[in-house]
């Protein structure tokens, strides 16, 4: 799933963005995890699990405990956004990436996504005993 982010992405929108595989944002986009500002735990909607995997525990703690928004350039710098483009190019950039991925190789992409999900919670030792998935590429 590719998220194309424009404007202010907050609350549930921020949670959906974090749950996406890739995030492309307009240079004017801001993101905020506002849960604590309305009296909710930052763990809402799986964000407490997903966000630290993307930006690290320290940065995730800061974002979830303060609820303060960050600008697109900062979100890209910390790895939350994969790419930032001018707002006028956002839809084209997201569509181009989606079309590129849709052209495949579908099996390799599916195996990669499955491995990211399946192995995301394992330690390095836990991964070393697992057999890799072989895919024909190309």
């Amino acid at each position: 799933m590719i998220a194309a982010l424009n404007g202010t992405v907050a609350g549930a929108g921020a949670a959906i963005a974090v749950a996406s595989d890739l995030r492309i944002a307009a240079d004017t986009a801001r993101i905020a995890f506002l849960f604590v500002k309305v009296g909710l735990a930052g763990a809402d909607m799986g964000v407490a699990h997903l966000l630290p995997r993307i930006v690290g525990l320290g940065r995730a703690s800061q974002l979830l405990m303060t609820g303060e928004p960050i600008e697109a350039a900062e979100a890209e710098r910390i790895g939350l956004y994969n790419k930032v483009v001018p707002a006028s190019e956002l839809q084209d950039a997201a569509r181009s990436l989606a079309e590129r991925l849709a052209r495949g190789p579908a099996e390799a992409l599916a195996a990669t996504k499955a491995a990211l999900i399946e192995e995301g919670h394992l330690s390095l030792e836990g991964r070393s005993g697992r057999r890799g998935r072989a895919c024909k590429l190309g």
Side-chain angles (χ1 to χ4, degrees), residues 36-111:
V36 297
K37 290 196 171 208
V38 295
L40 299 173
D44 202 24
M45 301 178 69
V47 172
H49 171 76
L50 296 170
L51 190 59
R53 293 180 64 198
I54 298 169
V55 301
L57 182 60
R59 185 64 69 161
S61 297
Q62 176 187 355
L63 294 171
L64 294 176
M65 290 182 177
T66 68
E68 296 298 321
I70 58 172
E71 304 296 324
E74 177 66 4
E76 182 180 34
R77 188 187 73 74
I78 66 173
L80 182 53
Y81 291 167
N82 299 96
K83 185 175 185 177
V84 173
V85 298
S88 62
E89 298 174 17
L90 179 61
Q91 292 302 316
D92 288 340
R95 186 175 297 109
S96 176
L97 178 57
E99 289 170 352
R100 181 174 144 207
L101 293 174
R103 286 191 297 271
E107 288 183 34
L109 290 169

